[in-house]
Amino acid sequence: MRVVITAAGREWDSQVDQRFGRAACFFCFNDEDGTIQIIDNQSAAGEAHGAGTKAAAIVAEYEPQVLITGNGPGQNAESVLSRTGVEVYIGAGGMTVKEAYDAWCGGKLSRA
Amino acid sequence: MNIAIASGKGGTGKTTVSVNLTSYLCRKQPAVLVDLDVEEPNAGLFLETEVVSKTITYKQIPVWNQASCTSCGFCARVCEFNAVIQIKDDILIFPELCHSCGACVGLCPANALVMESKEMGVITHSRDDNLEFVESRLNPGEEQAVPQIRETKSYLARNFNDSMLCIMDAPPGTSCPVVEVIRDADVVLFVAEPTPFGLHDLQLAVKAARSLGKEPAVIINRVGIGNEDTEKFCREQSLRVIARIPNDREIARSYSDGKLLFQEFPSVRSAMESIKGYLDESEKRFSTNQPKANQPKDRQEINP
């Protein structure tokens, strides 16, 4: 299963970025083969308009089954993500990427 | 002659000055008040005018025809505003993000996108004797103020001639909507507050106006609060302060009752008289300068 976590940095102990569209990067973890891929989100985060829709399109390319974030994507980003079938979990603000992943595994995060 | 009343900071008294100035001028001559704060027009609260016409405004939005689409994704790549998004074979269009530039439609190799009209807002034209009031209102949920302001300006051009005094109540801030209002103005007036926040935003507004080749004049409102720094800034920058309105609880009370202030308060009346003096001066310059010298003919897109 491919899981994407909005992150402020590139490590397991980096903080979760609460924001979706303007998140610093996307921490992408494939729990079947253990591979980690970091997608830089600077191109979307720096947009004056439409950061959400652009970030959603960037995330969609990785084809994740799960997205973990803080506040949750806005309406426009949400309607892009809903086309991809990804399940969005929120409430990971203040956690590290590892803590957020563990919280999701433990069923402690709620659906957006 | 177009007069833009702007501010930088919100709540400094743009509408107060616009409404009182227009009403003051209209005792002697015809004038138009245009409320271009399209996201929250409120000048109408202070006026008793009769509606002459309502005009629906439209913006152009691309519509996708899936049958002709080859999923090349070119439309999504050329969109500067992320209003066109490709998800595999699907093209999603976000009308609220769209700036109607037409790039996706014009550049689509398969002609799978066409522009269609979408309702954006309404222009309400009303009148009371000498006073013409044009209120421009964006529909709730619309994110782009500039197309609505542009439509309103073209409505003004169709309905009034150049010599008509046209007072434009601008939105706050210094971004695209304000630029759209002041870029064609013959006179730019900033209503400023003598507070640190007011000064900060006035500095930004002056910079914006000057970058458009406009030399603004300043009206200081609520004189008596804050500090002297706003006056000092105006002196240092050789900005002309053409009127001052005192900070007065009774003025605020009267404003809250939706009343015109110059009738009740001599201080406001004399401020309006001073502004009129400045406008008379500008009008002389304006009429000798026709056709307008410092206005760029090609309307290049500015997206600050």
Side-chain angles (χ1 to χ4, degrees):
Chain A
M1 183 175 280
R2 285 185 295 277
V3 179
V4 169
I5 303 168
T6 57
R10 312 173 70 88
E11 311 296 333
W12 276 112
D13 58 3
S14 300
Q15 285 294 305
V16 167
D17 198 325
Q18 299 230 41
R19 305 163 301 173
F20 173 73
R22 297 185 195 280
C25 60
F26 298 112
F27 187 98
C28 307
F29 178 57
N30 185 334
D31 64 7
E32 281 150 28
D33 56 17
T35 53
I36 294 169
Q37 190 186 334
I38 306 294
I39 305 175
D40 193 279
N41 189 41
Q42 251 176 11
S43 66
E47 290 280 348
H49 304 271
T53 53
K54 186 168 185 174
I58 291 170
V59 167
E61 278 179 32
Y62 181 71
E63 300 185 353
Q65 281 81 42
V66 170
L67 169 69
I68 299 170
T69 183
N71 301 328
Q75 207 180 342
N76 287 337
E78 173 58 37
S79 50
V80 175
L81 292 170
S82 68
R83 297 294 179 107
T84 70
V86 64
E87 290 181 5
V88 181
Y89 291 84
I90 58 171
M95 300 179 187
T96 64
V97 171
K98 183 77 175 78
E99 286 164 352
Y101 178 74
D102 290 343
W104 171 72
C105 289
K108 289 182 188 137
L109 297 179
S110 53
R111 285 288 292 272
Chain B
M1 185 166 84
N2 291 330
I3 300 133
I5 308 220
S7 69
K9 182 180 175 296
T12 59
K14 285 180 298 300
T15 303
T16 306
V17 169
S18 305
V19 168
N20 279 279
L21 179 64
T22 315
S23 304
Y24 180 82
L25 295 171
C26 279
R27 299 175 313 159
K28 303 260 172 70
Q29 66 186 111
V32 195
L33 172 62
V34 193
D35 196 341
L36 287 172
D37 193 0
V38 301
E39 289 173 282
E40 47 218 336
N42 64 344
L45 298 173
F46 301 90
L47 301 169
E48 280 175 28
T49 51
E50 234 167 85
V51 175
V52 182
S53 69
K54 278 183 186 275
T55 310
I56 306 286
T57 58
Y58 298 89
K59 68 175 192 175
Q60 299 295 307
I61 296 295
V63 174
W64 180 50
N65 175 9
Q66 186 165 14
S68 359
C69 183
T70 59
S71 305
C72 71
F74 200 60
C75 52
R77 284 202 299 282
V78 297
C79 182
E80 278 292 309
F81 303 100
N82 303 307
V84 182
I85 297 290
Q86 182 185 26
I87 297 292
K88 297 204 169 119
D89 290 343
D90 249 355
I91 298 295
L92 308 181
I93 292 164
F94 294 88
E96 285 76 22
L97 296 177
C98 177
H99 283 52
S100 311
C101 73
C104 57
V105 171
L107 297 170
C108 173
N111 291 321
L113 291 157
V114 286
M115 280 296 205
E116 281 186 8
S117 293
K118 177 178 181 283
E119 216 178 282
M120 157 175 72
V122 60
I123 298 169
T124 308
H125 185 162
S126 60
R127 188 175 292 147
D128 176 31
D129 200 18
N130 263 343
L131 192 153
E132 307 269 353
F133 176 48
V134 176
E135 182 202 78
S136 183
R137 184 179 290 264
L138 200 58
N139 287 345
E142 288 293 333
E143 286 186 24
Q144 307 300 329
V146 173
Q148 174 72 11
I149 293 171
R150 211 172 272 166
E151 281 297 305
T152 312
K153 280 164 55 179
S154 101
Y155 179 88
L156 298 173
R158 288 197 304 276
N159 286 276
F160 303 105
N161 68 33
D162 267 6
S163 60
M164 184 74 150
L165 260 188
C166 189
I167 289 133
M168 304 185 294
D169 187 5
T174 45
S175 62
C176 300
V178 181
V179 169
E180 188 58 32
V181 175
I182 65 179
R183 71 198 302 181
D184 293 332
D186 303 294
V187 175
V188 177
L189 305 180
F190 285 136
V191 184
E193 232 176 47
T195 59
F197 191 7
L199 171 61
H200 175 268
D201 285 10
L202 176 66
Q203 288 168 330
L204 293 177
V206 168
K207 207 168 157 192
R210 284 180 173 165
S211 72
L212 293 166
K214 313 284 176 187
E215 185 55 27
V218 178
I219 298 154
I220 303 185
N221 191 15
R222 295 198 198 104
V223 171
I225 57 167
N227 56 37
E228 286 298 309
D229 291 350
T230 299
E231 294 272 1
K232 188 163 160 249
F233 169 73
C234 292
R235 277 197 305 277
E236 284 167 1
Q237 291 285 317
S238 306
L239 285 162
R240 211 159 131 191
V241 178
I242 56 168
R244 291 176 180 81
I245 301 171
N247 185 47
D248 178 343
R249 194 179 173 82
E250 288 311 309
I251 292 180
R253 190 189 305 275
S254 208
Y255 168 89
S256 304
D257 288 338
K259 289 183 188 158
L260 287 176
L261 305 172
F262 71 88
Q263 294 163 335
E264 202 181 332
F265 300 95
S267 59
V268 178
R269 189 163 54 244
S270 84
M272 294 307 128
E273 185 57 46
S274 311
I275 300 170
K276 182 181 183 301
Y278 180 77
L279 295 182
D280 289 343
E281 231 179 81
S282 309
E283 197 156 23
K284 273 181 210 144
R285 247 191 349 258
F286 174 73
S287 49
T288 50
N289 275 356
Q290 286 277 38
K292 299 163 206 167
N294 63 349
Q295 284 194 11
K297 276 278 175 281
D298 55 326
R299 298 170 47 84
Q300 251 191 355
E301 202 56 37
I302 302 175
N303 288 299

